[in-house]
Amino acid sequence: MASEEQLVDYLKRVAAELHDTRQRLREVEERAQEPVAVVSMACRFPGGVESPEGLWELVAQGGDAIEGFPADRGWDLDGLYHPDPDHPGTCYVREGGFLSGADRFDSGFFGFSPREALASSPQLRLLLETSWEVLERAGIDPTTLKGSPTGVYVGAATTGNLTQGDPAGKATEGYAGSAPSVLSGRVSFTLGLEGPAVTIETACSSSLVAMHLAAQALRQGECDLALAGGVTVMSTPEVFTGFSRQRGLAPNGRCKPFAAAADGTGWGEGVGLILLERLSDARRNGHKVLALLRGSAVNQDGASNGFTAPNGPSQRRVIRQALAGANLSTSEIDVVEAHGTGTKLGDPIEAEALIATYGKEREDDRPLWLGSVKSNIGHTQAAAGVAGVIKMVMALQRELLPATLHVDEPTPHVQWEGGGVRLLTEPVPWSRSERVRRAGVSSFGISGTNAHVILEEPPEADATVDAPEPEPGAVVPWVVSGRTGEALREQARRLGVFASEESSLLDVGWSLATTRAVFEHRAVVVGHDHAGAAAGLEALASGQVTPDVVSGVAGDVGPGPVLV
């Protein structure tokens, strides 16, 4: 029979084990609910948009990126148009949102052979370039991630897997460049990433589904960083001709979200990626936090009233699931970047779902604001959700909600009065205050798969700290490199465009030296001030200097490149 002392020792051990168990459970629960940080973004969209800042400039200025069909894709532009929607092989639309230079690719930079470059799809090419950019914009040298548990989650369209250069496939036979799995897999292969590599195709909701899965993987410890987003390039006009048969296109090619004039969707294309990291890791690694992904959810319409028809109950359910995952109420969300394709059927269903969820019990002076970037760039399909996310992150930074275009008046098929939801027909200030700013972003796929994510402004502690300027007379080196001499000169040209008087000499110099990959052809531009650095970059970009020229390296250091 146990003594009283033995029983006390036993109870102490049990109590200690229970304490440890509770602590571990608490850590697991906190990890499962930890916000995921958006630490970088990169994109290319219609209208010449090549960066998140470029997308913001377009939407903030009310820009319309819709234009005529491209002439560089081998389309029969004369035979493609026909006013009769039932005329086979044609479409009754002449315009859309297209990427410029979608046929270009720096294959040598990524180690592609000529045949493999020819076999690769335009979507893969753009995705590789954007993946490199999104890492560099986070201050990460992409070459340092080799062997790391970094994940790649890519939403993709099935319409962009052809390449114009080899239509018969004879020269590229044996290459798997058009397989959807190659999109995420080739990014991981090229950069040496060893986290999950997943390609998602749920139609228009693909990129938000990718973000949802990436956030889950981060919280579960499957990866430490994750690239997430989507890409669509229309190599052929099939999406136009197919929807013409269904009479689903706006005749002028423009989406008119939630408008009385809505008459169909307008197709666009693009690529967008965000870099995600657990918030605690982002802070420890010194990465700038652009926004938080507080919650997300994905569901399916199931057996609804039509396979391709939107489903209001499912949309309401996915919104509530995302809010529950974020532990937030509907009143804590300020704005929703909607799916908003401009169709007479889909938009009213979406608006009613938003009114039934976010519109409930809202104060009259705090409506839920509603907008859609599709009015600027068209419906970019697998890249649609990430376009909305980038727009909302930029809106948080710029403290402004931009207007949605082409809304003559709100659609009469929605009971707007008293619903708590208001269209962004004019720009609305969205300034920082004591109340945390948050936005929802929706995407609904023709597959029936719905997705909703909730973004939140970063904590005040993560605000950017301006770098100090150098002491008077001090010289700041700017290091530039490229795989070829031509690439080196182009890097100097692009840096010259970027490095305005508003940029910090030290900040740019430090970033170039510590957060960029180093290639075979290198140069160092030195100067006392912006004018000196700009002069050196211009000389380097224009080819005025050669590797035999070394300037400003002794005595009174002046502006100029030092080639090594």
Side-chain angles (χ1 to χ4, degrees):
M1 185 173 179
S3 66
E4 181 176 339
E5 184 176 339
Q6 290 175 319
L7 286 173
V8 170
D9 289 341
Y10 173 75
L11 290 174
K12 287 181 178 179
R13 288 198 306 272
V14 171
E17 290 174 358
L18 285 174
H19 178 272
D20 291 342
T21 300
R22 291 194 193 97
Q23 180 66 27
R24 287 195 294 270
L25 284 173
R26 188 179 302 110
E27 290 174 355
V28 169
E29 290 174 353
E30 289 175 352
R31 189 181 187 89
Q33 294 182 348
E34 181 181 6
V36 171
V38 179
V39 296
S40 181
M41 306 186 295
C43 65
R44 298 185 194 177
F45 285 111
V49 170
E50 296 186 344
S51 66
E53 293 79 12
L55 180 63
W56 176 254
E57 183 177 352
L58 179 75
V59 298
Q61 295 180 359
D64 183 340
I66 307 304
E67 59 185 1
F69 285 170
D72 60 357
R73 307 193 185 186
W75 297 4
D76 180 8
L77 300 184
D78 293 331
L80 184 57
Y81 173 78
H82 198 285
D84 181 2
D86 294 320
H87 196 274
T90 66
C91 62
Y92 57 88
V93 176
R94 298 176 186 265
E95 295 182 292
F98 299 98
L99 292 173
S100 59
D103 59 331
R104 302 171 189 166
F105 179 52
D106 189 353
S107 57
F109 183 88
F110 293 102
F112 277 59
S113 69
R115 285 186 63 202
E116 192 174 16
L118 193 62
S120 62
S121 72
Q123 294 188 152
L124 172 58
R125 301 169 194 169
L126 284 167
L127 192 62
L128 282 169
E129 293 173 350
T130 310
S131 297
W132 189 277
E133 290 174 12
V134 78
L135 292 171
E136 283 198 331
R137 288 176 65 93
I140 298 173
D141 176 353
T143 63
T144 63
L145 292 181
K146 185 176 181 179
S148 69
T150 299
V152 181
Y153 293 82
V154 178
T158 56
T159 181
N161 291 329
L162 299 178
T163 181
Q164 180 186 339
D166 184 32
K170 294 180 180 179
T172 58
E173 190 174 18
Y175 285 96
S178 63
S181 60
V182 171
L183 293 174
S184 56
R186 189 57 195 251
V187 172
S188 294
F189 171 82
T190 301
L191 300 177
L193 312 179
E194 297 183 2
V198 183
T199 304
I200 297 111
E201 214 288 51
T202 59
C204 312
S205 58
S206 296
S207 58
L208 287 197
V209 174
M211 292 181 201
H212 171 74
L213 296 177
Q216 284 189 329
L218 286 166
R219 292 188 177 109
Q220 293 171 4
E222 296 175 9
C223 54
D224 292 338
L225 279 171
L227 288 80
V231 59
T232 294
V233 178
M234 295 178 285
S235 296
T236 72
E238 61 182 318
V239 70
F240 287 97
T241 58
F243 265 72
S244 286
R245 301 296 83 76
Q246 300 179 35
R247 294 166 174 78
L249 299 176
N252 68 351
R254 288 161 173 79
C255 296
K256 309 169 185 67
F258 308 103
D263 53 359
T265 197
W267 291 128
E269 59 187 12
V271 56
L273 288 175
I274 63 174
L275 186 61
L276 298 174
E277 189 175 22
R278 290 182 292 270
L279 178 59
S280 58
D281 290 343
R283 285 171 165 162
R284 184 171 60 254
N285 294 327
H287 294 153
K288 179 182 178 182
V289 178
L290 306 179
L292 302 180
L293 200 163
R294 275 293 304 270
S296 62
V298 172
N299 73 2
Q300 236 286 336
D301 289 345
S304 59
N305 61 338
F307 177 62
T308 61
N311 185 267
S314 295
Q315 293 181 19
R316 294 194 290 272
R317 192 171 69 252
V318 78
I319 290 171
R320 293 185 179 118
Q321 289 170 338
L323 286 166
N327 197 26
L328 295 170
S329 66
T330 56
S331 63
E332 293 176 280
I333 310 301
D334 302 320
V335 59
V336 165
E337 173 65 19
H339 188 56
T341 59
T343 61
K344 292 184 178 180
L345 174 64
D347 282 7
I349 291 175
E350 180 177 8
E352 293 292 356
L354 291 169
I355 289 172
T357 51
Y358 285 119
K360 292 291 185 181
E361 300 177 357
R362 299 189 76 93
E363 301 174 2
D364 293 339
D365 61 343
R366 286 199 61 256
L368 177 84
W369 293 106
L370 181 62
S372 175
V373 72
K374 294 179 179 66
S375 68
N376 303 95
I377 60 176
H379 186 349
T380 54
Q381 303 167 70
V386 69
V389 167
I390 293 173
K391 172 189 169 182
M392 284 293 98
V393 173
M394 294 302 299
L396 284 167
Q397 294 182 356
R398 299 300 196 270
E399 302 188 9
L400 179 72
L401 296 174
T404 296
L405 307 183
H406 313 310
V407 180
D408 54 342
E409 58 181 277
T411 173
H413 303 296
V414 173
Q415 182 58 48
W416 299 100
E417 190 66 30
V421 176
R422 193 178 304 172
L423 288 177
L424 280 162
T425 55
E426 297 290 340
V428 172
W430 198 24
S431 303
R432 280 185 175 269
S433 63
E434 295 181 358
R435 190 176 184 280
V436 177
R437 297 171 297 157
R438 300 184 181 92
V441 183
S442 292
S443 281
F444 310 124
I446 199 172
S447 63
T449 299
N450 309 302
H452 190 74
V453 305
I454 297 173
L455 302 172
E456 180 177 293
E457 67 180 329
E460 192 71 36
D462 294 310
T464 304
V465 178
D466 293 332
E469 285 304 300
E471 295 293 330
V475 173
V476 177
W478 284 7
V479 182
V480 188
S481 71
R483 290 199 186 277
T484 64
E486 182 181 357
L488 175 63
R489 290 189 292 274
E490 176 62 16
Q491 286 281 48
R493 186 197 66 80
R494 295 184 66 179
L495 181 58
V497 173
F498 164 78
S500 66
E501 290 288 339
E502 297 177 357
S503 58
S504 165
L505 281 173
L506 283 179
D507 193 17
V508 174
W510 181 87
S511 297
L512 290 171
T514 63
T515 68
R516 294 295 184 268
V518 179
F519 300 112
E520 296 87 345
H521 294 256
R522 309 168 193 173
V524 180
V525 174
V526 295
H528 296 290
D529 51 24
H530 286 89
L537 290 170
E538 183 179 356
L540 181 59
S542 62
Q544 296 176 22
V545 292
T546 68
D548 296 328
V549 177
V550 178
S551 62
V553 294
D556 184 17
V557 178
V562 181
L563 301 194
V564 295

